[in-house]
Amino acid sequence: MKKTYTSFILVLIVLIIVNIAARSIYKRFDLTKDNRYTVSADTEKILKQAYKPIVIDVFLDGELPSEFRKLKLETGQFLEELAALHPNLKYDFLNPIEDATPAETEQITAQLLSNGVKGAVATIQEGGKSTNVTVFPYALILYDGKTTAVPLLKTVARATAEERVNSSIQQLEYQFADGLRKASLEKDKTVAFLRDSDELSDVRIGDFIGSVNEYYNTRPFGIEFLTTNDTIAPQQVLEVMNKFDLIIDPKPTAPYSETKKYLLDQYLMQGGKMLLAVDPIVMENDSLSNEQRKAYPLPRKLNLDDMLFRYGLRLNNGLVKDLKHAPLALATGQGRNTQYEAYAWPYYPISKTSKDTSATAQFITKNLEDVKFEYTGSIDTLKNGIRKTILLSTSDKAKELTLPTVVSLNEIGKEVVIESYNKSNLPLAVLAEGSFTSAYKNRVKPVDLNNPTDEGKEAAIVLIADGDVLKNQVLRGEPQELGFDIRTGQLYGNKEFLMNTINYLLDDTGLIKLRNKDIQVPFLDSKKVIDEKFKWQFINTVLPLLIVAGFGFVFMWLRKRKYQA
């Protein structure tokens, strides 16, 4: 008896110690194959820097289609991981229009839209019936009086609802980390947009500027006015340029002066970063608006060739055609009956990767949607000791037309001669990194600078052979989302590619890692579920009862037999 009592006391003491240890020592284990519930070090860093309370409202509740219920489940599990890391993070799932009247629903929808939350119509299929419901696949992060919208449903070209949700689940950590960063962190880097060589107007790159401005400070900047203003010293301008972490030139159309080239060259020699979206071809769709429906593309003279050549890059002004391309939308009908129809248009190459298997290329372009180009040239890379990474290229069925040439809408519908597409993987976007040699080495300098440099520090250039990659469409004077084609409803990956590139150039690689996270989510086959519904209902409800009844029968029979004996 005394031994039993002692054992009981020991067990009780052990249980108390285990409970105390469990309260003070906390550890979660992720046993999934793809580590989907393991929060990355970059996200943890953002959470640690966000020291104030965080409130997250997720608008995924109520009656939802099956794929959205899966997204809700995964979102809840991920937020649980975030809450385990941040003691002051609270989250809740809610349906913003639950029990609301039509008038209240309209008012709530407008209020959510003002915060960046857009509603979408989804279909619930159950028992052979379809019901349309409005869903808001967003979360709102409230931090320090600031509200940030987090989109949870990713748009994927030509994808089923399940594929979209699967892609969205892959992006969950990135979307929340991105939202937390926007809400809690101060901008510490500055990006300059050059506005002095007849570049794209602010409204034509409004969404791109806005996207960059969410992460970094943005400033318009000009260099060309130096050639007409004697009161400004080039040295002072260069000193201002050196304060920028990145300089972007969005589709210049006027030739560079030697002064501008030299200042950009010396900026690069000081370790600067540049993104040049240069259009080597003069060609716009407006040129096709004539009776002949023809246009004659010409080379664009930008006075850049010698500078780029010294850096190991060359812009080709041949017009690229590709069998892998985006459509061109043309109007049919008149007046109120006007509609747009999409036609194959090989002058709009699309690309989301290249044959470059380097880690850098894969890092920037992994999981991209197709990036759309319009009337683009191509790029040659030259050997000069600078590291070149081909980020995007054409398909293996492309060709390059020598200028001048003719582009005609009459080509639409004609039989394609596949054999003529005999070029493959023409580079469209190239990253060059290394210690560059000045384009003005052993040359007469256009202006005097203090201590000019011929051999530079580690620097980087991204050259894109089409300025329209940065261009958004405009509707009623408002810039639309970059990459979205109003007339076809297609969303391309232009913005994601550009933001990945900018993040890389500014050594902000944590966000790219999160974008590239791979998670595979299994989904039920809805047709198989309907076909086998009765079988699984029987297995899950009737069969367990039959098993219990069988055990009961056997038990009673054995007991009766025992007492009869």
Side-chain angles (χ1 to χ4, degrees):
M1 183 68 179
K2 185 176 180 180
K3 185 176 180 181
T4 303
Y5 180 75
T6 303
S7 299
F8 174 77
I9 295 296
L10 288 174
V11 170
L12 185 62
I13 292 172
V14 169
L15 289 175
I16 292 173
I17 293 173
V18 169
N19 273 275
I20 293 173
R23 291 171 67 91
S24 58
I25 302 173
Y26 180 78
K27 181 66 178 175
R28 299 170 72 89
F29 297 94
D30 185 356
L31 302 180
T32 57
K33 183 179 179 180
D34 49 18
N35 294 324
R36 73 176 64 176
Y37 303 122
T38 299
V39 177
S40 70
D42 297 287
T43 303
E44 288 190 34
K45 182 180 178 181
I46 294 173
L47 284 173
K48 288 178 181 178
Q49 293 173 326
Y51 56 89
K52 295 183 179 180
I54 302 171
V55 178
I56 301 177
D57 290 331
V58 185
F59 302 123
L60 285 176
D61 202 17
E63 194 175 16
L64 297 170
S66 59
E67 61 269 16
F68 281 90
R69 291 198 295 270
K70 184 70 175 177
L71 179 59
K72 175 185 176 180
L73 175 64
E74 294 287 340
T75 302
Q77 290 174 333
F78 177 72
L79 288 177
E80 185 179 336
E81 298 299 319
L82 293 186
L85 294 171
H86 195 290
N88 290 321
L89 188 150
K90 308 295 181 186
Y91 65 91
D92 192 19
F93 286 81
L94 53 92
N95 179 3
I97 58 173
E98 186 176 13
D99 300 326
T101 64
E104 291 171 339
T105 298
E106 185 176 346
Q107 184 179 1
I108 294 170
T109 301
Q111 184 178 356
L112 290 173
L113 186 60
S114 67
N115 286 320
V117 176
K118 302 174 185 178
V121 177
T123 302
I124 298 177
Q125 292 184 341
E126 190 171 338
K129 296 181 180 180
S130 298
T131 306
N132 291 333
V133 295
T134 301
V135 295
F136 298 88
Y138 282 81
L140 276 183
I141 298 177
L142 286 76
Y143 180 85
D144 194 23
K146 184 178 179 180
T147 301
T148 304
V150 176
L152 301 180
L153 186 64
K154 183 180 179 183
T155 301
V156 181
R158 299 175 294 276
T160 65
E162 289 186 355
E163 289 170 340
R164 288 180 67 191
V165 171
N166 184 44
S167 180
S168 300
I169 291 171
Q170 287 187 7
Q171 296 287 299
L172 272 179
E173 183 174 0
Y174 161 70
Q175 295 292 5
F176 278 106
D178 184 44
L180 289 167
R181 171 183 165 149
K182 292 175 185 175
S184 62
L185 299 186
E186 296 294 329
K187 302 172 186 178
D188 60 351
K189 294 180 180 178
T190 305
V191 177
F193 283 84
L194 297 184
R195 317 302 291 139
D196 55 7
S197 294
D198 296 333
E199 287 89 355
L200 290 169
S201 64
D202 286 352
V203 72
R204 298 315 300 261
I205 55 172
D207 188 63
F208 180 47
I209 293 175
S211 299
V212 176
N213 197 51
E214 289 180 341
Y215 304 93
Y216 313 106
N217 297 304
T218 58
R219 299 284 186 274
F221 192 73
I223 303 173
E224 290 290 6
F225 57 79
L226 281 172
T227 60
T228 58
N229 192 334
D230 295 334
T231 64
I232 302 174
Q235 181 64 41
Q236 294 174 331
V237 176
L238 180 59
E239 289 171 1
V240 175
M241 289 174 61
N242 286 334
K243 294 179 181 178
F244 294 122
D245 299 285
L246 172 67
I247 290 178
I248 298 175
D249 204 352
K251 193 180 178 180
T253 57
Y256 278 41
S257 68
E258 291 300 320
T259 299
K260 179 174 181 176
K261 286 165 54 179
Y262 185 44
L263 290 177
L264 287 174
D265 174 86
Q266 290 302 296
Y267 168 77
L268 196 67
M269 294 305 107
Q270 297 298 322
K273 309 289 180 63
M274 292 195 294
L275 191 159
L276 305 178
V278 180
D279 223 330
I281 300 167
V282 181
M283 175 63 200
E284 304 290 342
N285 278 334
D286 293 346
S287 304
L288 296 168
S289 301
N290 53 58
E291 291 183 2
Q292 293 78 28
R293 307 206 307 172
K294 293 181 180 180
Y296 299 89
L298 296 171
R300 192 187 301 275
K301 303 298 183 181
L302 292 172
N303 192 28
L304 270 174
D305 293 346
D306 58 337
M307 183 173 79
L308 293 176
F309 185 84
R310 181 58 70 95
Y311 301 155
L313 301 168
R314 179 167 56 208
L315 270 173
N316 298 319
N317 54 23
L319 181 60
V320 172
K321 296 179 71 175
D322 198 333
L323 287 184
K324 184 180 179 183
H325 53 262
L328 172 68
L330 297 176
T332 59
Q334 295 180 348
R336 295 183 178 180
N337 295 323
T338 300
Q339 294 181 335
Y340 288 94
E341 292 188 20
Y343 298 92
W345 196 238
Y347 299 101
Y348 283 0
I350 54 176
S351 174
K352 58 182 177 180
T353 186
S354 72
K355 275 202 167 182
D356 195 322
T357 58
S358 66
T360 300
Q362 300 303 312
F363 188 63
I364 293 176
T365 62
K366 186 177 179 182
N367 292 336
L368 274 185
E369 290 297 305
D370 289 323
V371 178
K372 179 184 177 185
F373 294 78
E374 297 181 6
Y375 307 112
T376 181
S378 64
I379 302 170
D380 282 341
T381 57
L382 312 172
K383 292 183 179 180
N384 66 342
I386 297 295
R387 300 186 304 277
K388 316 291 194 319
T389 303
I390 299 174
L391 301 177
L392 297 175
S393 63
T394 65
S395 72
D396 57 0
K397 293 292 183 181
K399 65 179 177 179
E400 201 165 14
L401 305 179
T402 303
L403 300 184
T405 186
V406 61
V407 174
S408 174
L409 291 177
N410 297 322
E411 299 176 40
I412 293 174
K414 289 187 177 180
E415 185 178 355
V416 176
V417 182
I418 297 178
E419 292 76 15
S420 66
Y421 289 80
N422 53 8
K423 296 288 183 72
S424 64
N425 304 301
L426 297 172
L428 303 177
V430 176
L431 164 68
E433 301 173 281
S435 299
F436 293 85
T437 298
S438 172
Y440 287 84
K441 183 178 181 180
N442 301 325
R443 290 175 55 186
V444 176
K445 312 300 190 280
V447 293
D448 291 329
L449 296 175
N450 299 335
N451 303 316
T453 305
D454 286 338
E455 301 297 334
K457 301 176 182 177
E458 185 78 12
I461 301 175
V462 170
L463 179 64
I464 304 174
D466 178 23
D468 293 323
V469 166
L470 285 66
K471 182 177 70 176
N472 56 251
Q473 295 183 1
V474 179
L475 181 63
R476 300 185 185 93
E478 294 295 325
Q480 302 301 295
E481 183 174 2
L482 175 58
F484 179 65
D485 188 333
I486 301 171
R487 295 173 177 176
T488 64
Q490 180 69 52
L491 181 63
Y492 297 95
N494 294 44
K495 179 158 64 174
E496 192 171 0
F497 165 68
L498 291 168
M499 293 310 301
N500 273 3
T501 301
I502 291 172
N503 291 155
Y504 178 84
L505 289 173
L506 295 178
D507 300 319
D508 201 356
T509 57
L511 290 175
I512 306 178
K513 292 177 184 176
L514 296 180
R515 285 193 191 105
N516 292 345
K517 191 171 183 178
D518 281 325
I519 295 175
Q520 296 299 322
V521 182
F523 284 91
L524 293 175
D525 185 333
S526 56
K527 184 178 183 303
K528 191 174 182 180
V529 168
I530 295 173
D531 294 342
E532 300 182 6
K533 179 179 178 181
F534 177 76
K535 181 180 78 173
W536 291 107
Q537 284 180 335
F538 177 83
I539 291 174
N540 285 287
T541 57
V542 179
L543 186 59
L545 294 176
L546 292 176
I547 292 173
V548 171
F551 274 116
F553 175 78
V554 171
F555 176 76
M556 293 296 295
W557 180 76
L558 291 173
R559 183 171 179 175
K560 184 177 179 180
R561 182 179 177 184
K562 176 181 177 182
Y563 285 107
Q564 283 180 346

